[in-house]
Amino acid sequence: MVEAGLGLYAIAIPAGLLVLLSVAEYLWPRSARVLGRIPRWRTHALFFLTNVTVGRVLALLVVVGSAAAWAHDHGFGLFNYVGWPWWLEAGLAFILLDFALWLQHVAMHRFGFLWVMHKVHHSDRDLDASTALRFHPLELLFSTLYKSASVVFLGVPVLAALAFELWLNCNALFNHSNVRLPRSVDRLLRIFLVSPDMHLVHHSTAVGEQQRNYGFALTWWDRLFATYDYESTMGRDGQTIGLAEIADERPAQFLWSMKQPLT
Ligand SMILES: [Zn+2]
C-alpha cells in the first residue's frame, strides 16, 4: 500500500506541475513560439512514453536475471540439479531457451488472446531493424514472464540468461533489417541463423505464411517441425508485408498501434 501510494505521488506531482507551468506559460509567455505547440507537445509526449517503456524493459531484464539468481540460490531447475560444466550448461541453455521462445511464438499466433498483442508487431507495413522495437508493452510483459519461468525451470546460470537476452535482441534487430544479402550468404546463414530474408516470409500479408518461419535466432525448430519456407509465394521482391486487413497509414500512428489490441 505504501509503495502504491508513493508511486501515485511520483506520477501525480510532476504531472500536476507540468499542467500548472503550461497554464502559466500560456498566460505569461516569455518568448514567442517558433514552432506550433501541438506537434512539439505530441513529439515530447511520445518521447516520454518511449522512455517509460524503455525503463520498463530495463526493469524486466532485471526480472530475468533475478529469476536465474533465485533458481541458483535454491538449487532449482535442470542445470542446478545436474551440475554439468558451465560451458555445456551455457551452450544447452542457449539452444533450449531458443526452443522455448520458438514455442512461445507459435502460441502467440495460435491463441486469440496472445495474437491480439502480437498483431501489433505484424501490422507494420514495412520491415526494418526498428520493427524489432515494435512490440506492444503487454507482449513484452508476457514474454518476459514466460522467459523468466523458462530460466527458472531450466536453472540457467545468471550470466548465460543475461547473455541470451543480449543475443536475442541482436538477432531480432538483424533479422528484421531491410538489408539485401547475396543469396549465397543468405543460404549459408540459414544453416544456423534466421536471416532477414527468412524472417521476411513470416511478415507476409498471407495468413498462411505468417504461420511459417517462427524462429528468432536458430533455424532448426522450423525445419524440425516443418514450418520452414524458403520464401513467399509472392517472391522475395514482390512480397507484401503486414496484415491484409490494414492497408493504410494507421500502423505508423503510435496511439493507434497502442490501442490495436482492443480493436
Ligand atoms: Zn509473429
Side-chain angles (χ1 to χ4, degrees):
M1 270 314 285
V2 177
E3 287 89 341
L6 283 177
L8 195 66
Y9 284 123
I11 295 166
I13 292 174
L17 186 63
L18 179 66
V19 172
L20 277 180
L21 289 173
S22 302
V23 172
E25 285 166 353
Y26 179 77
L27 292 175
W28 308 290
R30 184 195 52 198
S31 314
R33 288 176 186 277
V34 178
L35 298 170
R37 209 183 246 107
I38 301 302
R40 280 186 58 257
W41 283 10
R42 192 194 299 130
T43 303
H44 295 165
L46 286 173
F47 267 110
F48 173 73
L49 285 171
T50 308
N51 290 338
V52 167
T53 309
V54 168
R56 188 82 203 141
V57 172
L58 287 178
L60 292 173
L61 279 180
V62 174
V63 173
V64 177
S66 309
W70 183 90
H72 179 261
D73 292 347
H74 292 79
F76 192 88
L78 177 70
F79 294 138
N80 288 318
Y81 187 73
V82 292
W84 289 329
W86 70 268
W87 53 268
L88 183 61
E89 289 191 0
L92 280 175
F94 265 54
I95 295 171
L96 293 175
L97 283 175
D98 194 78
F99 178 56
L101 289 185
W102 181 87
L103 279 176
Q104 186 206 340
H105 194 183
V106 173
M108 299 306 292
H109 281 261
R110 295 279 166 91
F111 299 108
F113 75 103
L114 295 175
W115 171 246
V116 295
M117 306 177 205
H118 189 54
K119 72 178 180 183
V120 179
H121 177 65
H122 277 269
S123 67
D124 198 355
R125 301 191 61 207
D126 294 301
L127 269 193
D128 62 18
S130 75
T131 310
L133 307 175
R134 186 187 169 89
F135 284 100
H136 197 277
L138 280 175
E139 180 173 356
L140 267 185
L141 187 69
F142 174 80
S143 64
T144 303
L145 292 176
Y146 174 86
K147 231 180 295 174
S148 302
S150 307
V151 160
V152 166
F153 281 108
L154 289 172
V156 176
V158 181
L159 215 60
L162 295 176
F164 179 78
E165 196 62 36
L166 178 66
W167 162 249
L168 196 69
N169 291 334
C170 294
N171 271 283
L173 287 167
F174 172 66
N175 62 40
H176 285 95
S177 68
N178 190 29
V179 288
R180 180 180 288 267
L181 294 174
R183 293 277 196 184
S184 54
V185 175
D186 175 74
R187 279 182 195 275
L188 207 63
L189 263 176
R190 288 192 198 201
I191 299 171
F192 289 103
L193 287 182
V194 176
S195 68
D197 283 358
M198 178 174 162
H199 196 63
L200 172 70
V201 180
H202 181 71
H203 280 266
S204 168
T205 49
V207 175
E209 291 179 347
Q210 289 162 15
Q211 289 161 3
R212 316 291 288 172
N213 298 5
Y214 287 110
F216 277 101
L218 298 176
T219 53
W220 308 340
W221 319 117
D222 283 307
R223 295 181 200 274
L224 200 61
F225 294 95
T227 50
Y228 175 76
D229 262 348
Y230 177 69
E231 70 178 12
S232 165
T233 53
M234 299 174 239
R236 179 183 64 170
D237 299 326
Q239 192 199 306
T240 48
I241 296 167
L243 301 174
E245 64 272 26
I246 300 165
D248 50 39
E249 79 298 334
R250 286 176 298 168
Q253 295 165 14
F254 181 71
L255 276 180
W256 179 87
S257 304
M258 288 296 279
K259 286 190 287 191
Q260 206 190 344
L262 306 170
T263 57

